[in-house]
Each structure stands twice: as structure tokens, then as C-alpha cells.
Amino acid sequence: MAKIKNVSFPGMTGYIQVVSHPDDKKVPMPGRYQRGQFQGRQVERFELHSGDHWQGDKSSDARNHRERVEFRDETMVEVSRRAGWFRQSWDILISSAEYTEMSPKQTHGQVFDEKNRYPILFMRRENGVQEILVNSKIEGGPQGVRLPVPFDLDAWNWYALDVLPRPGENAASFRLSHNSRLVAEMTNISLIEDNADYLYWKHGLYRSDMDQWEEANPGVAAPTLAAYYSRVSRTPLYERGSGSQ
């Protein structure tokens, strides 16, 4: 498998999940992930091609019709009944010249339950519609709730996702701002399982259910997509158990 290791942001360090070069399984394909200057700021550029299964053509990604080039955080947030809020924030720019609107969905950011192995909150796009999806596995929790949120093509979009990572019934909360305006919020919800230990963050480009693309477009490769990120960070909003910002 190809990895780009020791990728850091304020509050986080992790690695890039990226498809390998066919001649050397540990060498990333060139151009899929780049860091540099763009529009006067330091950015990351992610580029996803059809068939980009980061662990190879015999991997679970390939078997389950998933494609990705993503940052995977290894500096995780502890889940606790006394946990305080944390903020996950990022700027994202999608150029209409480099991104073909399509279905099935593309995921741009995920808050992942490490022990139970699924995202509890994730930012997704499908056919030009941007949403945050709220995904609880707890009985009575908000499973599969899709909340439309603003997104401006060909411009920087700054998102701040504030999360209260408390497990169990009616214990968690989140709020999402776009360009400093609150656009989605749910409080006192059953979002995180009781046995959860840690949450971690992922961002980049991820496509799932690509068998649906193949069925709808036989013999046609899915379009190449590119996205730019800047100012990615994670910060605590206040000390654990303090109850106020």
C-alpha cells in the first residue's frame, strides 16, 4: 500500500491514503496529493481518478467499490461523558473546471468512530448538492439525516464543525458554520455509541457505491475530481467539564 506519512496540521498528525504506482506498491502515484502555494496561500490539492483503490485492485476498497485519496488523522479525540467541545475546521475550494458534478456521493470530510469503524458526521456532495450527514447507529438516534448546507464553487468555503463528543442517549451535540454563519445544528442527540473510545478526522476525496456509476454508465470511467484544502485544524473550544466557552 502507498502512504504519505507524517502529514501535520494544527492539532493533528496522520497520513495520506493514496493509490500506489503500478511499478512500486509503496510509491504514491504522482499528482494525486500535492502541497504548495495556490491563490496566495498554502494549500493541499487532492486528485482522484477512476479506480484509485489505495490498497490495490484486490483490496476491500476494490471489492466494495470505493475510491479515495484522503488524509487520515492519527491524533484522536477522546470520547467521554465529561468531554468538552472541540472544533474541526477547514477551507475547501472546488474549481468547476476540475470537478464534474456527479452521482454517487463524494465525501469531503468525516468525523469517524475509531472503535465502531464508521463516520458519525460527514460532509458529502452529490450532483451539486452539499450536505452534512448525521449517522447514528444508536436506536432512536438520527441515522442517515441529511442536512443541506451552503457551498460556493470557485471560491473558498470555510467550515467550522463543533462537536461535543459524549457517548450515549441524548448526550452529543454538534453545530456547523459556513463562512462564520451557523448553517446546521443538533443538540442533545444520541450520536455516539456507549462503547466508543476515540474519534478521528479524515478529509480529501472519497467515493463509495461506484458500482452504481458502472451500472448507469457502462464502459465509461468516472470523472477525475480535484479539491483544494487550506487552514485545516482541530482545537478544543474549552476545558473538559467546564461547561462554558
Side-chain angles (χ1 to χ4, degrees):
M1 83 181 64
K3 280 185 179 181
I4 302 173
K5 299 180 181 180
N6 300 319
V7 177
S8 295
F9 306 94
M12 293 181 292
T13 298
Y15 59 89
I16 303 297
Q17 299 170 304
V18 58
V19 67
S20 61
H21 195 283
D23 296 330
D24 188 335
K25 298 302 182 184
K26 293 187 177 181
V27 175
M29 277 291 286
R32 298 301 203 270
Y33 177 76
Q34 298 169 299
R35 276 189 159 187
Q37 290 289 320
F38 180 74
Q39 293 190 353
R41 63 166 77 190
Q42 188 70 24
V43 305
E44 305 168 275
R45 183 181 185 274
F46 293 82
E47 183 175 299
L48 182 66
H49 292 231
S50 180
D52 278 358
H53 314 303
W54 88 282
Q55 291 178 311
D57 292 339
K58 296 182 180 179
S59 66
S60 62
D61 269 5
R63 291 193 301 272
N64 293 290
H65 313 287
R66 301 187 297 240
E67 301 168 348
R68 73 179 80 215
V69 53
E70 289 184 297
F71 168 78
R72 197 283 202 196
D73 167 35
E74 294 181 293
T75 310
M76 295 183 280
V77 172
E78 184 178 2
V79 172
S80 164
R81 297 189 185 280
R82 299 186 61 210
W85 291 83
F86 73 91
R87 170 168 291 179
Q88 190 72 49
S89 58
W90 67 101
D91 258 325
I92 178 172
L93 181 147
I94 287 176
S95 166
S96 55
E98 294 184 292
Y99 198 102
T100 302
E101 302 293 3
M102 59 171 288
S103 181
K105 66 181 181 292
Q106 309 97 65
T107 301
H108 297 151
Q110 308 178 55
V111 177
F112 220 86
D113 180 331
E114 187 267 342
K115 186 170 188 175
N116 296 297
R117 300 182 63 82
Y118 65 87
I120 60 169
L121 296 164
F122 57 101
M123 297 292 292
R124 53 170 281 174
R125 188 172 185 84
E126 187 166 14
N127 284 331
V129 176
Q130 196 83 13
E131 300 170 320
I132 183 168
L133 195 141
V134 188
N135 186 36
S136 171
K137 303 284 183 166
I138 303 175
E139 184 176 353
Q143 183 174 7
V145 173
R146 297 164 57 166
L147 303 174
V149 298
F151 190 94
D152 300 318
L153 283 174
D154 302 307
W156 286 105
N157 297 265
W158 185 70
Y159 289 103
L161 176 60
D162 300 341
V163 181
L164 183 64
R166 295 181 178 177
E169 185 177 359
N170 303 325
S173 300
F174 79 90
R175 54 189 180 235
L176 177 72
S177 297
H178 173 258
N179 294 341
S180 300
R181 183 174 68 87
L182 183 67
V183 294
E185 182 177 28
M186 296 181 76
T187 59
N188 302 323
I189 57 175
S190 304
L191 180 63
I192 304 172
E193 295 191 52
D194 283 311
N195 68 342
D197 294 324
Y198 297 98
L199 306 177
Y200 67 85
W201 170 252
K202 300 179 81 173
H203 72 272
L205 289 170
Y206 171 82
R207 297 194 289 213
S208 56
D209 301 324
M210 291 306 292
D211 52 328
Q212 296 178 16
W213 171 271
E214 295 169 8
E215 291 171 6
N217 305 273
V220 178
T224 296
L225 305 180
Y228 298 80
Y229 287 79
S230 181
R231 295 197 300 168
V232 178
S233 72
R234 184 173 64 232
T235 55
L237 293 187
Y238 50 79
E239 293 301 317
R240 176 181 296 181
S242 67
S244 62
Q245 265 182 271

